[in-house]
């Protein structure tokens, strides 16, 4: 048998999926309600246009993140003052991850329980934890 098996939904053959992937109820456990990607793009572009990478480069990672976060927060106050609370924090985290890390998969990269991350397409991201592969809801904005 190949490493691909047909997965059953209520007794009917539904679609082909890797045999190692857990059943549907184990899928989509990470990043269920991500930030508004259009807003992340807007803030990110304004931040990149106004930030001096030479000033960020010598900073320790924590200080660089704080500087990016503070600059992005000021931009958000101008661009979209109505976005507050958790929504604002999600956008700020996403922008910092875009500028300083690996974008939307940064949370998985920082998670010590995750042993592997597989990006098969902009909207098809899997991660492995304790030998089990899970599908994520993480999406990249583009290729």
């Amino acid at each position: 048998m190949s490493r691909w098996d047909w997965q059953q939904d209520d007794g009917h053959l539904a679609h082909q999926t890797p045999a190692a992937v857990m059943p549907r109820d184990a899928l989509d456990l990470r990043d269920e309600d991500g930030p508004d990607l259009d807003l992340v793009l807007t803030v990110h572009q304004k931040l990149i246009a106004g930030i001096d990478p030479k000033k960020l480069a010598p900073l320790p990672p924590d200080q660089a993140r704080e500087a990016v976060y503070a600059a992005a927060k000021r931009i958000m106050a101008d661009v979209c003052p109505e976005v507050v609370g958790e929504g604002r924090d999600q956008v700020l985290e996403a922008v910092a991850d875009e500028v300083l890390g690996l974008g939307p998969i940064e949370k998985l990269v920082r998670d010590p329980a995750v042993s592997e991350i597989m990006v098969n397409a902009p909207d098809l991201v899997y991660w492995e934890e304790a030998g089990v592969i899970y599908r994520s809801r993480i999406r990249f904005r583009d290729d």
Side-chain angles (χ1 to χ4, degrees):
M1 182 181 286
S2 76
R3 55 182 266 229
W4 291 85
D5 290 332
W6 287 96
Q7 184 174 356
Q8 291 191 3
D9 273 351
D10 300 326
H12 297 91
L13 293 178
H15 59 283
Q16 201 174 27
T17 186
V21 174
M22 292 296 292
R24 185 178 306 274
D25 61 343
L27 299 179
D28 299 331
L29 295 178
R30 301 273 170 106
D31 207 43
E32 292 125 19
D33 298 315
D36 177 346
L37 294 182
D38 292 331
L39 184 54
V40 170
L41 177 61
T42 300
V43 174
H44 181 226
Q45 288 175 333
K46 288 185 178 295
L47 180 69
I48 293 301
I51 203 165
D52 183 0
K54 291 178 185 176
K55 290 184 179 178
L56 277 181
L59 294 177
D62 289 345
Q63 287 181 1
R65 189 166 189 87
E66 287 175 21
V68 167
Y69 200 90
K73 194 172 185 178
R74 286 191 299 274
I75 292 168
M76 283 193 70
D78 290 339
V79 173
C80 53
E82 71 282 358
V83 179
V84 296
E86 188 176 335
R88 181 192 64 209
D89 292 344
Q90 285 181 343
V91 171
L92 294 172
E93 287 294 323
V95 169
D97 288 344
E98 289 276 336
V99 173
L100 301 169
L102 296 172
I105 64 169
E106 186 64 28
K107 288 180 189 175
L108 292 174
V109 170
R110 287 191 308 251
D111 187 338
V114 173
S115 58
E116 185 172 358
I117 302 165
M118 297 146 278
V119 180
N120 295 336
D123 61 347
L124 194 58
V125 178
Y126 295 89
W127 84 92
E128 182 177 346
E129 185 176 324
V132 179
I133 297 173
Y134 298 91
R135 184 174 178 188
S136 171
R137 289 186 180 176
I138 293 172
R139 304 285 180 261
F140 285 87
R141 184 177 48 250
D142 52 35
D143 292 339

